[in-house]
Amino acid sequence: MSPAPRARRPVAVVSFAQAHNVRREDERNEVEMLMPVVAEVFANIGITKDDVGFICSGSTDYLVGGPFSFVTALDAVGVWPPRPESHVEMDGAWALYEAWVLLQEGEVDAALVYSFGRSSPGNLAEVMALQLDPYTLAPLWPDPVSLAALQARALIDAGKATEADFASVAARNRKAALSNPKAQVAHDRSVEELLGEEYVVAPLRRHALPPITDGAAAVVLAAGDTARRWCERPAWITGIDHRIETHAPGARDLTVSPSIALAAERAGVGDGPVDLAEVHAPFASQEGIVLEALGLAGAGGAGGNGGNGGNGGNGAGLSVNPSGGALAANPMMTAGLTRIGEAATRIWSGDANRAVAHATSGPCLQQNLVCVLDAAWEGA
Amino acid sequence: MTMLDTPIHLEYTFTPGIAQSRFLRGLAEGRFVGQRCPVCGKVYIPSRGSCPVDGVPTGEDVALPDTGIVTTYCVVNVPFAGQAIEIPYIAAQVLLDGANISFMGLIQEIPATDVRMGMRVQAVWVEPDELGPTLASVKYFKPTGGPDAPYESFEEYL
Ligand SMILES: [Zn+2]
């Protein structure tokens, strides 16, 4: 394989904001949810909308059933005078990727990335079925929990994980979420207690499922000296890559993630020690697959995952999902961007030096993005 | 097999939002409620909660009269499925007095050939017991007979 492309221009995550994640936004529409988040992401670093030369958002109209809701969402920013803007019908992590590519071009020094997902207006299980192949899969209306259960069953059958592993992942993430003021679900419960729960779809019990969430998030990316001016300790994006697998879950080995492994290689995850990982594993059963493909399995706080052993370069210092991950809050189209924001936050604070953020989309971890954030920019 | 039917039907609960809810509740009381931007001073009706120019909340409610002008219009001559009104009829952009954005309304009580840009109009509401949180509370707009507004006064709203 050709050598991985490396970031040419230093671009960093310099600000992050997210809404309080809730089950249901009864009063506010998308614009009203986004406005305070966008205001906060600018205010955090003392800039205004006039300081960003590009805007990119991630969302899907299927969630609220409103055509062009991504266009009206721009009202939350106020794009006058007009400026370049784009949207992806994907998680905001992919909007961030587009903004990063544009910043690499060098014509713009800063970009706003935001995403929003209100799952409460519709039936999320039905909405998510419509992302599947429309000929052979969608007509069967397979819901995301059942698909994740097939994947979990495959893990158990392959001897790669147990139900106790899933409970352990859920217990650790939700305990970590107790220190996340924006978390929707946070508690301190033992693995034994969680294993006493009923199955929702065997082998997944209630605790292994992500919550259904209404939420929004925003990030500011900035290049070079602009980043250094706005942020004392920018979270430099040293590598970012995204890969996708076939749309047919039946044609995949659901117990592994070659798309994550490839994206991780191209993003350079293994090029140095990793002390923090924010991974987007909506179902507790998926975290082990993600960490293994990232080469971070068996390291540090990620204990309890089957996996095939860790990467020798990444030892005990690894913290996994200190935010509680997607098990603490899973706003559609947003939880991936939030992982990047949460990882960057810990670089700024000095709690981490080199972090990996991961975002996923599609059934059973079909599509994945891997982003490496570093407190240092080589040669900077 | 040559054909596969895959019926898809999704149901949603619509959330108009805080600002638009005020507009809709106003309609249920037979009045127009807009909101003003604290930065540029523009009055939006209906407000979706933010000024699309400045990106700030439009917090202040503004009661607007039910009179205004036609900024632009079209005469609908083509029948289509689900049509509720007899053709030809007029769909117009109506700019209420004191508002800085127009919205769509029907024009009646005037022959289609006599409608003009700048024509002054007033809302005709449904009976009080038929009022609801919907634009259907406004049956249509009718000409007031007042002098037309000069083009320069509304050209920025076209
Ligand atoms: Zn304004």
Side-chain angles (χ1 to χ4, degrees):
Chain A
M1 202 177 84
S2 62
R6 289 292 182 265
R8 294 180 287 130
R9 190 185 189 205
V11 169
V13 179
V14 294
S15 186
F16 169 63
Q18 62 177 315
H20 278 281
N21 292 288
V22 295
R23 173 62 184 88
R24 189 179 299 278
E25 278 277 358
D26 278 326
E27 295 260 295
R28 300 187 296 175
N29 61 23
E30 294 71 49
V31 171
E32 290 166 338
M33 274 173 66
L34 264 174
M35 248 187 310
V37 175
V38 170
E40 183 185 335
V41 86
F42 289 147
N44 282 344
I45 51 173
I47 67 168
T48 72
K49 66 190 175 78
D50 299 324
D51 292 312
V52 294
F54 181 62
I55 299 166
C56 198
S57 62
S59 68
T60 175
D61 287 352
Y62 278 76
L63 289 176
V64 292
F68 296 99
S69 64
F70 65 92
V71 175
T72 56
L74 269 177
D75 288 359
V77 184
V79 280
W80 189 265
R83 79 203 60 188
E85 180 271 334
S86 184
H87 172 264
V88 295
E89 194 85 359
M90 307 167 92
D91 188 290
W94 277 265
L96 181 143
Y97 181 86
E98 181 178 337
W100 175 83
V101 169
L102 190 106
L103 285 163
Q104 290 299 311
E105 297 290 326
E107 286 184 22
V108 168
D109 291 330
L112 167 70
V113 179
Y114 66 82
S115 58
F116 58 97
R118 274 180 69 225
S119 297
S120 63
N123 180 328
L124 184 59
E126 291 179 356
V127 170
M128 294 306 283
L130 295 185
Q131 73 176 325
L132 304 169
D133 161 49
Y135 303 107
T136 61
L137 260 185
L140 304 173
W141 293 93
D143 63 279
V145 179
S146 298
L147 288 169
L150 286 172
Q151 186 174 34
R153 174 63 67 199
L155 281 169
I156 292 172
D157 288 350
K160 292 186 171 182
T162 65
E163 289 183 31
D165 290 336
F166 306 157
S168 158
V169 168
R172 174 172 45 76
N173 276 277
R174 297 224 165 91
K175 187 175 178 185
L178 286 167
S179 57
N180 176 358
K182 302 294 174 75
Q184 180 186 352
V185 182
H187 50 63
D188 186 0
R189 291 193 192 146
S190 69
V191 169
E192 292 69 33
E193 186 186 347
L194 295 179
L195 286 172
E197 289 179 339
E198 299 283 313
Y199 288 119
V200 178
V201 180
L204 298 180
R205 301 171 198 271
R206 175 69 57 192
H207 62 257
L209 275 53
I212 296 175
T213 308
D214 287 355
V219 157
V220 173
L221 294 183
D225 288 342
T226 304
R228 293 182 191 95
R229 196 163 67 243
W230 291 347
C231 185
E232 210 169 290
R233 195 176 139 93
W236 300 107
I237 298 173
T238 57
I240 184 168
D241 197 86
H242 62 98
R243 300 285 154 169
I244 191 167
E245 293 169 47
T246 170
H247 61 276
R252 294 165 47 197
D253 176 354
L254 296 177
T255 68
V256 293
S257 178
S259 56
I260 293 178
L262 182 54
E265 184 187 338
R266 304 284 286 182
V269 171
D271 292 353
V274 175
D275 49 14
L276 176 97
E278 275 284 342
V279 299
H280 185 190
F283 292 87
S285 43
Q286 296 172 332
E287 194 190 88
I289 300 170
V290 175
L291 291 172
E292 185 184 335
L294 287 171
L296 302 175
N305 297 296
N308 290 336
N311 170 331
N314 292 304
L318 179 70
S319 165
V320 174
N321 285 2
S323 70
L327 289 163
N330 191 37
M332 288 294 124
M333 323 311 280
T334 302
L337 181 65
T338 299
R339 303 281 71 74
I340 297 173
E342 292 281 9
T345 301
R346 285 162 179 86
I347 299 249
W348 306 332
S349 68
D351 291 329
N353 287 313
R354 190 165 185 273
V356 172
H358 157 258
T360 196
S361 183
C364 304
L365 305 172
Q366 182 201 358
Q367 184 176 15
N368 295 281
L369 179 147
V370 175
C371 176
V372 178
L373 300 166
D374 203 315
W377 180 265
E378 271 175 68
Chain B
M1 182 168 57
T2 55
M3 184 87 84
L4 174 70
D5 284 327
T6 59
I8 289 174
H9 177 83
L10 295 176
E11 287 194 10
Y12 294 95
T13 305
F14 175 63
T15 305
I18 295 168
Q20 204 158 252
S21 292
R22 290 172 177 276
F23 168 75
L24 292 169
R25 290 193 188 105
L27 292 174
E29 296 167 2
R31 59 199 185 91
F32 289 116
V33 178
Q35 289 201 325
R36 192 190 316 273
C37 170
V39 176
C40 66
K42 286 201 160 88
V43 174
Y44 297 103
I45 182 162
S47 168
R48 276 201 312 275
S50 83
C51 173
V53 172
D54 297 301
V56 298
T58 51
E60 183 199 348
D61 285 357
V62 179
L64 293 171
D66 65 358
T67 55
I69 60 166
V70 170
T71 56
T72 185
Y73 66 95
C74 77
V75 181
V76 180
N77 283 298
V78 182
F80 55 89
Q83 200 161 41
I85 312 158
E86 222 174 287
I87 55 169
Y89 67 88
I90 300 132
Q93 286 297 126
V94 174
L95 180 67
L96 294 181
D97 295 328
N100 293 101
I101 196 163
S102 60
F103 61 87
M104 180 99 76
L106 298 171
I107 309 295
Q108 292 188 20
E109 297 189 21
I110 181 172
T113 48
D114 291 351
V115 177
R116 308 168 303 278
M117 291 170 76
M119 185 177 79
R120 291 204 59 80
V121 292
Q122 179 167 25
V124 175
W125 298 83
V126 298
E127 296 303 317
D129 62 343
E130 294 172 341
L131 285 169
T134 160
L135 260 177
S137 292
V138 180
K139 276 162 77 175
Y140 54 84
F141 289 83
K142 67 174 184 186
T144 66
D148 288 2
Y151 179 77
E152 300 72 44
S153 70
F154 61 86
E155 65 180 336
E156 72 167 295
Y157 299 107
L158 293 171

